[in-house]
Amino acid sequence: MSDTKVTWLTQDAYDRLKQELDHYIELRPVIAAKINDSREEGDLKENGGYHAAREEQGQHEARIRHLQELLRSAKVGEPPANDGSAGPGKVLTVRYDGDDENENFLLATREEGTEGDLDVYSPESPLGKALLGAKEGETREYELPNGSIQKVTLVKAVPYTGK
């Protein structure tokens, strides 16, 4: 991960992620004990419990590193400006070319998450990248996985309030 990447988080999301990080750190001795117990069972080449415990440890350590980096670079509780432009931490209302209905989603990291039916799209996704900096009423284009080009119009952009 880049040290310059900033993630906007609500205080609730920050607290939830910090609690998850603390939980994983508390599990370190438990997993280490599992590895030691499995190691004592004999031949490590054929010891499924040992390999499972090592894999679990690797997954936990990766999540710990990810959460530490995310929380270190997070901007907490500072909602973006209500300036009608698309950016992280905003709920965007868009209309796709050829579609009559609007779609609403939060432009943020998946870790920010939401309660309810609001989808979360990453600013790093093709749609997110295309919309970054767009002003209300502006139409942008991005490439779909099948290679075709999709036009999307930003109808509205408002700061996410956590609800």
Side-chain angles (χ1 to χ4, degrees):
M1 289 198 157
S2 166
D3 288 331
T4 60
K5 184 175 180 181
V6 174
T7 302
W8 179 84
L9 296 174
T10 61
Q11 187 65 53
D12 287 345
Y14 182 89
D15 293 345
R16 183 173 35 82
L17 294 172
K18 178 71 170 101
Q19 186 175 10
E20 181 184 352
L21 174 62
D22 293 343
H23 171 73
Y24 277 121
I25 290 173
E26 287 173 12
L27 284 178
R28 279 177 165 163
V30 175
I31 295 172
K34 268 192 212 177
I35 291 170
N36 285 335
D37 292 346
S38 298
R39 185 179 290 138
E40 292 173 5
E41 292 175 8
D43 186 10
L44 296 182
K45 289 182 185 173
E46 303 200 12
N47 187 332
Y50 172 78
H51 293 291
R54 292 286 301 185
E55 185 173 327
E56 182 181 9
Q57 180 187 41
Q59 290 170 349
H60 282 204
E61 290 300 318
R63 184 66 178 159
I64 286 171
R65 285 189 304 274
H66 175 74
L67 289 170
Q68 286 174 330
E69 176 66 23
L70 182 69
L71 294 173
R72 182 173 32 255
S73 63
K75 286 181 86 173
V76 180
E78 298 175 26
N82 192 2
D83 58 4
S85 67
K90 301 259 184 112
V91 176
L92 305 183
T93 302
V94 299
R95 181 176 296 127
Y96 298 97
D97 196 33
D99 196 351
D100 293 336
E101 295 197 19
N102 291 342
E103 179 181 346
N104 295 318
F105 60 88
L106 173 62
L107 189 62
T109 64
R110 298 260 182 242
E111 282 80 5
E112 175 65 36
T114 61
E115 306 291 322
D117 296 330
L118 192 61
D119 289 329
V120 180
Y121 290 3
S122 169
E124 302 298 315
S125 69
L127 175 59
K129 285 180 182 177
L131 288 171
L132 280 177
K135 300 285 184 201
E136 291 177 356
E138 190 175 339
T139 299
R140 299 274 182 98
E141 296 180 345
Y142 67 101
E143 188 173 340
L144 297 172
N146 67 7
S148 62
I149 300 298
Q150 175 69 53
K151 288 185 179 185
V152 62
T153 300
L154 179 63
V155 177
K156 189 169 186 163
V158 295
Y160 177 60
T161 59
K163 307 225 181 328

